[in-house]
Amino acid sequence: MTQYTPSSSEPGQRPPSFWNSSHGLSSWLFTLDHKRIGVMYLAFVWFAFMLGGVFALLVRTELLTAGKTIVDPDTYNQLFTLHGAVMVFLVIIPSIPASLGNIILPIQLGAKDVAFPRINLASFYIYVIGALIALYSIFSGAVDTGWTFYTPYSTTSNSSVSTMVLAAFILGFSSIFTGLNFIATVHRLRAPGMTFFRMPLFVWALYATSVIQILATPVLGITLLLLIAERVLHVGIFDPALGGDPVLFQHFFWFYSHPAVYIMIVPGFGVVSDLISTFSRKAIFGYRAIALSSIGIAIVGFLVWGHHMFTSGQSELAGMIFSGLTFLIAIPTAIKVLNWIATLYKGSIVLRTPMWYTLGFLWLFTIGGLTGLYLATMSLDLHLHDTYFVVAHFHYVMMGGTMFAFIGGLHYWWPKFTGKMYSEKLGNWACALAFIGFNLTFGSQFFLGVAGMPRRYYNYLPQFEPLHQLSTIGSYILGFGFFLTLVCLLRSLKSGTDAGDNPWEATTLEWKTSSPPPLENFLGQPTVDRGPYDRAAGGGH
Amino acid sequence: MSNPARTYHHAHHFPSAQDESEAAKLGMWVFLATEILLFSGLFMAYASYRYTHPEMFKTVHQLLDWKLGAVNTMVLIFSSLTMALSVRSAQLSKQGQTVGFLAITLLCGAAFLVVKYFEYSHKFHLGTLPGGGPLGHWNPDYAALTAEHGADFVAKLKSVESPHIFIGIYFLMTGLHGVHVIIGMLAITWALVRSMRGDFSSKYFFPVECVGLYWHLVDLIWIYLFPLLYLVG
């Protein structure tokens, strides 16, 4: 209770919210307010999500029957490449940090803004420019290499590889700027009394993510520059025809892109930690273990990239080391999952939409994580490598993990930053449909993969048809579920009831200010004298 | 004395000017970490091919003029000194000195680029450019090379495997570094203009400090590039 006392508590005297603090288009385009930048990011991420989703549905529709269903093989290659590139670079990587993180992180710390508001705005515009270049590449001969741009095909393909690679390079800067901002904000703008171990776990997760973004993204940058140099100048570093080594490209690529997997999932861990505590009406179990395991994942995550190359001709010794390190990463991850389950134990669980997404996350992420261990086993990976098993595995983590956490977090913080409560009924239906559709789509793909169906193939043997059709039907249900989510949230802006400042009886600092918050988040400087999930003395009402 | 109209007020989302300065410097250090990792990919490519093609590296590096490289190394080390002195002057509110040292640093950057221009144009002249195969630009003028380096060297150059890869790595590393020199010079120009306006004083000088940190990193990367590329034999 002593955390924050607004200097005026009369509703009539409240300052305008950040939505109304200034008006006109330019007040948004040139805003330095972290919440407005976060909202703009959110809109673009959703747009990209729908675009990537349409590509996914087209891919699934093509796979409804063996042979040609709707598109020819070249278009199919472009569709799955665009789906992957859009979802990775435009959706999942910026999703939680740049939208929800931007809006919520400074408020959770009791800060007025992020450390560098202008760099924050620059990050958004760099994202938009990168996104536009990526879109342009679609019309100038869409890429067909897969989102991994493996050489030597990517150095010889006639599709617009250079354009898409340039887009990914530019998007990297946006990601770096966000990470840089969060690190400086966490170090320098915590409210008085907010020690590191009083920070909400969402902040811890974003901090660990930022460290990975800072250290990994530049390596992707130089890799992509080298790829462009290879295509334009024929430097010969990656092209075997010119004396180069294509496996070197894979090392470079995965040195970024495996840590990038943690850039994608660790923010989701943060969301889930906050949500589980709130909706169990209980302090999180094992706060420090969860906080530090994020850092553990960030560190070990840098040492496992070679498990993408078990079949690329790296030495057996290297394979064994990478396999062992990959198993190691299961430890900090399991620490989190077990602590979340321990938090649920004897909690007063409140089943609202964000909590349904959280439970969905727990289920799906656990499947995704455990199947990762299958793939980390070298002998098994020889069979499963580049099959639908891998596709199912990483969709369970990226989609079932990150996107469920993202949408759960979105429902959770929606009343905070819009001031409106969405329809619980519609939200629950959307979540249920997404969960069922997801399991149909990707659960079936585990079986396809074990049976030997290779990923990225245009055609398949007749015996795979039933499972492919199940998967495609599931993807329609999944797509409809996400569409319903969008309807549910947007409708609340018009017809939602006023949410109130703390509809969830949550304990972290963002729920102590008004919904939506004013321009600089708090009226006066909040101070902190207890942990983030401490309910004993006065969280909630 | 600085113009009183330009008395600095720290950005209001920071509790104090001290906090703002610390945050800016932290941000700069984090950014420098990303820069090092950006170059790390090139250093790895270098290490990888140096390991698999030691003879080729030893031979092809002789195409580089170590004397010009040494001159540039001196120029950049000297510019690091003047950069550090300009930060010191800003800290002591000595506006005239700050402006002077920043100007010298800027001139050093320009001198570096001029030397680099002569090195590059010589390679364009000789056709020792990146890119193998029919589409690449590795197309040496062996007659001119014989005149410059002797017949033994040219025979060696013709015999080693993938000489274009060393030149490719050379151009990528020095090219990316050159881009950083230009960005650094733009940053110094910005600090110079603000310094001439009298923006900086002992109470507010972290922008000069951040520009300085960046410039030192640009120098530091060159200090690694010089021996790795020019003195590798």
Side-chain angles (χ1 to χ4, degrees), chain A residues 92-136:
Chain A
I92 307 182
I93 287 178
S95 62
I96 296 177
S99 63
L100 291 179
N102 239 330
I103 298 171
I104 298 301
L105 175 132
I107 317 183
Q108 284 198 330
L109 290 173
K112 290 177 180 155
D113 207 314
V114 291
F116 312 117
R118 269 180 289 196
I119 290 180
N120 201 17
L121 185 65
S123 148
F124 171 70
Y125 280 112
I126 292 170
Y127 171 81
V128 172
I129 292 168
L132 289 177
I133 295 176
L135 284 182
Y136 169 74

Short mmCIF file of all heavy atoms in Angstrom, two decimals, chain A residues 92-136:
data_model
loop_
_atom_site.label_atom_id
_atom_site.label_comp_id
_atom_site.label_asym_id
_atom_site.label_seq_id
_atom_site.Cartn_x
_atom_site.Cartn_y
_atom_site.Cartn_z
N ILE A 92 7.14 -12.59 -34.17
CA ILE A 92 7.45 -13.16 -32.86
C ILE A 92 8.55 -12.38 -32.16
O ILE A 92 8.46 -12.10 -30.97
CB ILE A 92 7.84 -14.66 -32.99
CG1 ILE A 92 6.76 -15.41 -33.75
CG2 ILE A 92 7.99 -15.26 -31.61
CD1 ILE A 92 7.04 -16.87 -33.87
N ILE A 93 9.60 -12.00 -32.88
CA ILE A 93 10.70 -11.30 -32.21
C ILE A 93 10.23 -9.98 -31.62
O ILE A 93 10.46 -9.71 -30.43
CB ILE A 93 11.91 -11.13 -33.15
CG1 ILE A 93 12.60 -12.51 -33.31
CG2 ILE A 93 12.91 -10.12 -32.60
CD1 ILE A 93 13.78 -12.50 -34.23
N PRO A 94 9.53 -9.11 -32.37
CA PRO A 94 9.09 -7.88 -31.71
C PRO A 94 7.84 -8.04 -30.85
O PRO A 94 7.53 -7.15 -30.06
CB PRO A 94 8.80 -6.93 -32.89
CG PRO A 94 8.48 -7.82 -34.02
CD PRO A 94 9.28 -9.08 -33.82
N SER A 95 7.11 -9.18 -30.97
CA SER A 95 5.76 -9.23 -30.39
C SER A 95 5.72 -8.80 -28.93
O SER A 95 5.16 -7.75 -28.60
CB SER A 95 5.18 -10.63 -30.55
OG SER A 95 5.96 -11.58 -29.85
N ILE A 96 6.30 -9.60 -28.04
CA ILE A 96 6.13 -9.27 -26.62
C ILE A 96 7.02 -8.10 -26.20
O ILE A 96 6.53 -7.14 -25.60
CB ILE A 96 6.35 -10.51 -25.74
CG1 ILE A 96 5.27 -11.55 -26.06
CG2 ILE A 96 6.30 -10.13 -24.26
CD1 ILE A 96 5.41 -12.84 -25.30
N PRO A 97 8.33 -8.11 -26.52
CA PRO A 97 9.14 -6.98 -26.03
C PRO A 97 8.70 -5.63 -26.56
O PRO A 97 8.47 -4.71 -25.79
CB PRO A 97 10.56 -7.32 -26.52
CG PRO A 97 10.55 -8.77 -26.80
CD PRO A 97 9.15 -9.11 -27.20
N ALA A 98 8.57 -5.51 -27.89
CA ALA A 98 8.37 -4.17 -28.45
C ALA A 98 6.95 -3.65 -28.24
O ALA A 98 6.75 -2.45 -28.18
CB ALA A 98 8.70 -4.18 -29.94
N SER A 99 5.96 -4.54 -28.12
CA SER A 99 4.61 -4.02 -27.89
C SER A 99 4.26 -4.03 -26.41
O SER A 99 4.26 -2.99 -25.75
CB SER A 99 3.59 -4.79 -28.73
OG SER A 99 3.54 -6.15 -28.35
N LEU A 100 4.03 -5.22 -25.84
CA LEU A 100 3.65 -5.27 -24.42
C LEU A 100 4.78 -4.76 -23.53
O LEU A 100 4.54 -4.03 -22.57
CB LEU A 100 3.29 -6.71 -24.03
CG LEU A 100 2.01 -7.27 -24.63
CD1 LEU A 100 1.81 -8.70 -24.18
CD2 LEU A 100 0.83 -6.42 -24.25
N GLY A 101 6.02 -5.15 -23.86
CA GLY A 101 7.16 -4.72 -23.04
C GLY A 101 7.29 -3.22 -23.04
O GLY A 101 7.48 -2.60 -21.99
N ASN A 102 7.18 -2.62 -24.20
CA ASN A 102 7.28 -1.17 -24.30
C ASN A 102 6.22 -0.48 -23.45
O ASN A 102 6.48 0.51 -22.78
CB ASN A 102 7.10 -0.75 -25.76
CG ASN A 102 8.30 0.01 -26.27
OD1 ASN A 102 8.97 0.69 -25.50
ND2 ASN A 102 8.58 -0.10 -27.54
N ILE A 103 5.01 -1.02 -23.50
CA ILE A 103 3.92 -0.38 -22.77
C ILE A 103 4.09 -0.59 -21.26
O ILE A 103 3.93 0.32 -20.47
CB ILE A 103 2.55 -0.94 -23.23
CG1 ILE A 103 2.33 -0.64 -24.72
CG2 ILE A 103 1.42 -0.36 -22.40
CD1 ILE A 103 1.12 -1.34 -25.32
N ILE A 104 4.45 -1.82 -20.87
CA ILE A 104 4.34 -2.20 -19.46
C ILE A 104 5.65 -2.06 -18.68
O ILE A 104 5.63 -1.67 -17.52
CB ILE A 104 3.83 -3.66 -19.37
CG1 ILE A 104 2.42 -3.77 -19.99
CG2 ILE A 104 3.80 -4.15 -17.93
CD1 ILE A 104 1.38 -2.88 -19.33
N LEU A 105 6.78 -2.37 -19.29
CA LEU A 105 8.04 -2.42 -18.52
C LEU A 105 8.33 -1.14 -17.74
O LEU A 105 8.59 -1.20 -16.53
CB LEU A 105 9.21 -2.78 -19.44
CG LEU A 105 10.60 -2.76 -18.80
CD1 LEU A 105 11.39 -4.02 -19.11
CD2 LEU A 105 11.41 -1.56 -19.23
N PRO A 106 8.26 0.05 -18.36
CA PRO A 106 8.55 1.25 -17.56
C PRO A 106 7.57 1.42 -16.41
O PRO A 106 7.97 1.85 -15.32
CB PRO A 106 8.43 2.39 -18.57
CG PRO A 106 8.62 1.76 -19.90
CD PRO A 106 8.02 0.40 -19.78
N ILE A 107 6.29 1.07 -16.63
CA ILE A 107 5.30 1.25 -15.55
C ILE A 107 5.60 0.28 -14.42
O ILE A 107 5.50 0.62 -13.24
CB ILE A 107 3.87 1.06 -16.06
CG1 ILE A 107 3.67 1.75 -17.42
CG2 ILE A 107 2.86 1.60 -15.07
CD1 ILE A 107 2.26 1.66 -17.95
N GLN A 108 5.96 -0.97 -14.78
CA GLN A 108 6.27 -1.94 -13.73
C GLN A 108 7.48 -1.52 -12.90
O GLN A 108 7.63 -1.93 -11.76
CB GLN A 108 6.53 -3.32 -14.35
CG GLN A 108 5.26 -4.02 -14.79
CD GLN A 108 5.45 -5.51 -15.00
OE1 GLN A 108 6.53 -5.96 -15.36
NE2 GLN A 108 4.40 -6.28 -14.79
N LEU A 109 8.35 -0.72 -13.51
CA LEU A 109 9.53 -0.26 -12.76
C LEU A 109 9.25 1.04 -12.02
O LEU A 109 10.10 1.52 -11.27
CB LEU A 109 10.70 -0.04 -13.73
CG LEU A 109 11.32 -1.29 -14.34
CD1 LEU A 109 12.35 -0.90 -15.39
CD2 LEU A 109 11.98 -2.14 -13.26
N GLY A 110 8.09 1.63 -12.25
CA GLY A 110 7.80 2.92 -11.64
C GLY A 110 8.52 4.06 -12.32
O GLY A 110 8.83 5.08 -11.69
N ALA A 111 8.81 3.91 -13.63
CA ALA A 111 9.53 4.95 -14.37
C ALA A 111 8.54 5.76 -15.21
O ALA A 111 7.43 5.33 -15.46
CB ALA A 111 10.58 4.31 -15.27
N LYS A 112 8.99 6.94 -15.63
CA LYS A 112 8.13 7.79 -16.46
C LYS A 112 8.18 7.37 -17.92
O LYS A 112 7.25 7.60 -18.68
CB LYS A 112 8.56 9.25 -16.35
CG LYS A 112 8.27 9.85 -14.99
CD LYS A 112 8.78 11.27 -14.92
CE LYS A 112 8.50 11.88 -13.57
NZ LYS A 112 9.43 12.97 -13.25
N ASP A 113 9.30 6.82 -18.33
CA ASP A 113 9.46 6.41 -19.73
C ASP A 113 10.65 5.47 -19.79
O ASP A 113 11.27 5.17 -18.77
CB ASP A 113 9.69 7.64 -20.63
CG ASP A 113 9.20 7.39 -22.05
OD1 ASP A 113 9.50 6.31 -22.60
OD2 ASP A 113 8.51 8.25 -22.61
N VAL A 114 10.97 4.99 -21.00
CA VAL A 114 12.21 4.23 -21.15
C VAL A 114 13.38 5.22 -21.13
O VAL A 114 13.17 6.43 -21.24
CB VAL A 114 12.24 3.42 -22.47
CG1 VAL A 114 11.24 2.28 -22.42
CG2 VAL A 114 11.99 4.32 -23.65
N ALA A 115 14.60 4.69 -21.03
CA ALA A 115 15.75 5.58 -20.85
C ALA A 115 15.94 6.49 -22.07
O ALA A 115 16.27 7.66 -21.92
CB ALA A 115 17.01 4.76 -20.60
N PHE A 116 15.76 5.95 -23.27
CA PHE A 116 16.02 6.74 -24.48
C PHE A 116 14.77 6.77 -25.36
O PHE A 116 14.66 5.99 -26.30
CB PHE A 116 17.19 6.15 -25.26
CG PHE A 116 18.39 5.83 -24.41
CD1 PHE A 116 18.83 4.52 -24.29
CD2 PHE A 116 19.07 6.83 -23.73
CE1 PHE A 116 19.93 4.22 -23.50
CE2 PHE A 116 20.16 6.54 -22.94
CZ PHE A 116 20.59 5.23 -22.82
N PRO A 117 13.84 7.68 -25.08
CA PRO A 117 12.58 7.69 -25.84
C PRO A 117 12.78 7.91 -27.33
O PRO A 117 12.06 7.32 -28.14
CB PRO A 117 11.81 8.85 -25.22
CG PRO A 117 12.44 9.08 -23.90
CD PRO A 117 13.87 8.69 -24.03
N ARG A 118 13.77 8.72 -27.70
CA ARG A 118 13.94 8.97 -29.14
C ARG A 118 14.46 7.72 -29.86
O ARG A 118 14.06 7.43 -30.98
CB ARG A 118 14.88 10.15 -29.36
CG ARG A 118 14.10 11.45 -29.45
CD ARG A 118 15.00 12.61 -29.65
NE ARG A 118 15.76 12.89 -28.43
CZ ARG A 118 16.39 14.03 -28.21
NH1 ARG A 118 16.38 14.99 -29.10
NH2 ARG A 118 17.06 14.21 -27.08
N ILE A 119 15.35 6.98 -29.18
CA ILE A 119 15.83 5.72 -29.78
C ILE A 119 14.68 4.73 -29.87
O ILE A 119 14.58 3.94 -30.81
CB ILE A 119 17.02 5.17 -28.97
CG1 ILE A 119 18.22 6.08 -29.18
CG2 ILE A 119 17.34 3.74 -29.35
CD1 ILE A 119 19.46 5.65 -28.44
N ASN A 120 13.77 4.81 -28.90
CA ASN A 120 12.59 3.94 -28.92
C ASN A 120 11.75 4.23 -30.17
O ASN A 120 11.34 3.31 -30.89
CB ASN A 120 11.78 4.20 -27.66
CG ASN A 120 10.85 3.05 -27.32
OD1 ASN A 120 11.02 1.95 -27.83
ND2 ASN A 120 9.89 3.30 -26.47
N LEU A 121 11.52 5.51 -30.43
CA LEU A 121 10.74 5.88 -31.63
C LEU A 121 11.50 5.47 -32.89
O LEU A 121 10.91 4.94 -33.84
CB LEU A 121 10.46 7.38 -31.63
CG LEU A 121 9.56 7.86 -32.77
CD1 LEU A 121 8.17 7.27 -32.65
CD2 LEU A 121 9.49 9.38 -32.82
N ALA A 122 12.82 5.70 -32.88
CA ALA A 122 13.64 5.30 -34.04
C ALA A 122 13.50 3.81 -34.27
O ALA A 122 13.37 3.35 -35.41
CB ALA A 122 15.10 5.67 -33.81
N SER A 123 13.50 3.03 -33.19
CA SER A 123 13.36 1.58 -33.31
C SER A 123 12.06 1.23 -34.05
O SER A 123 12.04 0.38 -34.92
CB SER A 123 13.38 0.96 -31.92
OG SER A 123 12.59 -0.18 -31.86
N PHE A 124 10.99 1.96 -33.71
CA PHE A 124 9.71 1.69 -34.36
C PHE A 124 9.80 2.00 -35.86
O PHE A 124 9.38 1.20 -36.70
CB PHE A 124 8.59 2.51 -33.72
CG PHE A 124 7.30 2.43 -34.48
CD1 PHE A 124 6.57 1.25 -34.50
CD2 PHE A 124 6.84 3.51 -35.21
CE1 PHE A 124 5.39 1.16 -35.22
CE2 PHE A 124 5.66 3.42 -35.93
CZ PHE A 124 4.95 2.25 -35.94
N TYR A 125 10.38 3.14 -36.21
CA TYR A 125 10.43 3.48 -37.63
C TYR A 125 11.36 2.56 -38.40
O TYR A 125 11.11 2.24 -39.56
CB TYR A 125 10.81 4.95 -37.82
CG TYR A 125 9.60 5.82 -37.61
CD1 TYR A 125 9.51 6.68 -36.53
CD2 TYR A 125 8.51 5.71 -38.47
CE1 TYR A 125 8.37 7.43 -36.31
CE2 TYR A 125 7.38 6.45 -38.25
CZ TYR A 125 7.30 7.31 -37.18
OH TYR A 125 6.16 8.02 -36.98
N ILE A 126 12.45 2.13 -37.76
CA ILE A 126 13.32 1.17 -38.43
C ILE A 126 12.55 -0.12 -38.69
O ILE A 126 12.65 -0.73 -39.75
CB ILE A 126 14.58 0.91 -37.57
CG1 ILE A 126 15.43 2.18 -37.55
CG2 ILE A 126 15.38 -0.26 -38.12
CD1 ILE A 126 16.56 2.13 -36.54
N TYR A 127 11.71 -0.50 -37.71
CA TYR A 127 10.87 -1.69 -37.90
C TYR A 127 9.95 -1.50 -39.10
O TYR A 127 9.82 -2.40 -39.94
CB TYR A 127 10.07 -1.94 -36.62
CG TYR A 127 9.01 -3.01 -36.73
CD1 TYR A 127 9.35 -4.36 -36.64
CD2 TYR A 127 7.69 -2.68 -36.95
CE1 TYR A 127 8.38 -5.34 -36.75
CE2 TYR A 127 6.71 -3.66 -37.07
CZ TYR A 127 7.06 -4.99 -36.96
OH TYR A 127 6.10 -5.95 -37.08
N VAL A 128 9.33 -0.32 -39.19
CA VAL A 128 8.40 -0.08 -40.29
C VAL A 128 9.14 -0.12 -41.63
O VAL A 128 8.67 -0.75 -42.59
CB VAL A 128 7.68 1.28 -40.10
CG1 VAL A 128 6.86 1.62 -41.34
CG2 VAL A 128 6.79 1.23 -38.87
N ILE A 129 10.32 0.51 -41.68
CA ILE A 129 11.08 0.50 -42.93
C ILE A 129 11.46 -0.94 -43.30
O ILE A 129 11.29 -1.37 -44.44
CB ILE A 129 12.34 1.38 -42.78
CG1 ILE A 129 11.93 2.85 -42.66
CG2 ILE A 129 13.28 1.19 -43.97
CD1 ILE A 129 13.06 3.77 -42.23
N GLY A 130 11.95 -1.70 -42.31
CA GLY A 130 12.30 -3.10 -42.57
C GLY A 130 11.10 -3.88 -43.06
O GLY A 130 11.20 -4.67 -44.01
N ALA A 131 9.95 -3.63 -42.44
CA ALA A 131 8.74 -4.35 -42.83
C ALA A 131 8.35 -4.00 -44.27
O ALA A 131 7.96 -4.87 -45.05
CB ALA A 131 7.60 -4.02 -41.88
N LEU A 132 8.48 -2.71 -44.63
CA LEU A 132 8.11 -2.30 -45.99
C LEU A 132 9.04 -2.94 -47.01
O LEU A 132 8.60 -3.39 -48.07
CB LEU A 132 8.16 -0.78 -46.12
CG LEU A 132 7.04 -0.03 -45.37
CD1 LEU A 132 7.22 1.48 -45.49
CD2 LEU A 132 5.67 -0.45 -45.89
N ILE A 133 10.34 -3.01 -46.68
CA ILE A 133 11.28 -3.65 -47.61
C ILE A 133 10.94 -5.14 -47.74
O ILE A 133 10.97 -5.71 -48.83
CB ILE A 133 12.73 -3.44 -47.16
CG1 ILE A 133 13.06 -1.95 -47.23
CG2 ILE A 133 13.70 -4.23 -48.02
CD1 ILE A 133 14.42 -1.60 -46.72
N ALA A 134 10.59 -5.76 -46.61
CA ALA A 134 10.21 -7.18 -46.67
C ALA A 134 8.98 -7.36 -47.56
O ALA A 134 8.91 -8.29 -48.36
CB ALA A 134 9.93 -7.70 -45.26
N LEU A 135 8.00 -6.45 -47.42
CA LEU A 135 6.81 -6.53 -48.27
C LEU A 135 7.18 -6.33 -49.74
O LEU A 135 6.69 -7.02 -50.62
CB LEU A 135 5.79 -5.46 -47.86
CG LEU A 135 4.99 -5.74 -46.59
CD1 LEU A 135 3.99 -4.63 -46.34
CD2 LEU A 135 4.25 -7.08 -46.72
N TYR A 136 8.08 -5.36 -49.96
CA TYR A 136 8.50 -5.10 -51.33
C TYR A 136 9.11 -6.35 -51.95
O TYR A 136 8.88 -6.67 -53.12
CB TYR A 136 9.50 -3.93 -51.36
CG TYR A 136 10.18 -3.76 -52.69
CD1 TYR A 136 9.49 -3.23 -53.78
CD2 TYR A 136 11.50 -4.17 -52.87
CE1 TYR A 136 10.10 -3.11 -55.01
CE2 TYR A 136 12.13 -4.04 -54.10
CZ TYR A 136 11.42 -3.51 -55.16
OH TYR A 136 12.03 -3.39 -56.38
#
